[in-house]
Amino acid sequence: MARPRLSWRSTFDYALIVVGAACNAVAIDLFLVPNQIVAGGFTGLAVIGKLTAGVPFSVGLLLTNVPLLILQWKLLGGFKVFMRTVVGVGALAVLTDSLLPVLPPVTADRLLVIAYGGALSGFGLA
């Protein structure tokens, strides 16, 4: 059985997914978590678990995404879409936990935190 080859386009897409996850991880570590601001979605649930119960962000993010990954596999397109989501969620989980000790909080001004954190997170998601 021939192994599927990764095209340049797919490699570029995966690189963009990791760069977007890195931007989102920096926004979470620099702005949101140190100032106890919660984003939306499963990322926000993982942050709430970290702030209230001390659950590591990566564990919370991976646990909350498992049901969605299963539904996605069955409903949205199989392996290709599934792998892109796994790479994105995995990169966000790993980068957020690994960058946290390296990145100190930048500011405590709530308006700046929300503006910069939201802009950087939105850029990463886009």
Side-chain angles (χ1 to χ4, degrees), residues 38-121:
V38 177
F42 288 120
T43 303
L45 288 176
V47 171
I48 289 171
K50 178 181 177 61
L51 294 175
T52 59
V55 176
F57 177 82
S58 58
V59 172
L61 186 66
L62 294 174
L63 287 177
T64 56
N65 276 288
V66 167
L68 286 181
L69 289 171
I70 293 169
L71 283 173
Q72 181 182 9
W73 177 272
K74 293 187 181 276
L75 301 177
L76 290 181
F79 186 74
K80 182 178 179 182
V81 176
F82 176 80
M83 280 310 297
R84 289 172 187 241
T85 304
V86 166
V87 168
V89 170
L92 180 60
V94 168
L95 289 170
T96 302
D97 281 349
S98 62
L99 291 176
L100 185 61
V102 179
L103 298 175
V106 175
T107 181
D109 184 337
R110 300 289 271 186
L111 185 60
L112 290 177
V113 165
I114 292 169
Y116 293 147
L120 190 56
S121 180

